Amino acid sequence: MENEWSEVDNTLQKIFEFKDFKEALVFVNRIGEIAERTQHHPNICLKDYKKVCISTTTHDSGSTVTVKDRGLAEEIDKVFVS
């Protein structure tokens, strides 16, 4: 399922779908590596065993969507494609 990031309630959100749980979990771990490297941590939800829901906001900017969130979204999209 390829969709675009949506801005909802001061967060960027997107749902990624995979063929199985294992693939989804690998993706989550790769996002974790990006989050640690950039020190910008999104909310991650694994649901229905193969869907990963991501939402990100910048708390130190009043919980709004900033350049940090858009940059993180771009990095996550690159992981999803590769």
Side-chain angles (χ1 to χ4, degrees):
M1 169 203 294
E2 181 84 31
N3 59 354
E4 297 298 317
W5 288 89
S6 300
E7 195 166 331
V8 179
D9 296 329
N10 293 319
T11 66
L12 276 183
Q13 301 178 1
K14 187 171 180 177
I15 298 172
F16 298 84
E17 189 169 345
F18 299 88
K19 72 175 186 175
D20 57 29
F21 179 80
K22 184 177 179 181
E23 226 180 64
L25 196 54
V26 167
F27 180 68
V28 167
N29 286 322
R30 291 187 69 195
I31 292 170
E33 292 169 5
I34 293 167
E36 282 298 296
R37 179 174 39 80
T38 62
Q39 287 301 296
H40 192 55
H41 303 90
N43 290 323
I44 301 171
C45 173
L46 183 58
K47 67 183 234 180
D48 297 332
Y49 81 89
K50 64 179 184 175
K51 291 181 183 176
V52 177
C53 309
I54 307 289
S55 67
T56 182
T57 189
T58 304
H59 299 288
D60 58 359
S61 290
S63 293
T64 60
V65 176
T66 67
V67 143
K68 285 171 122 176
D69 302 298
R70 296 196 189 286
L72 181 62
E74 286 178 22
E75 289 218 36
I76 291 170
D77 281 341
K78 288 176 190 174
V79 169
F80 183 67
V81 171
S82 58

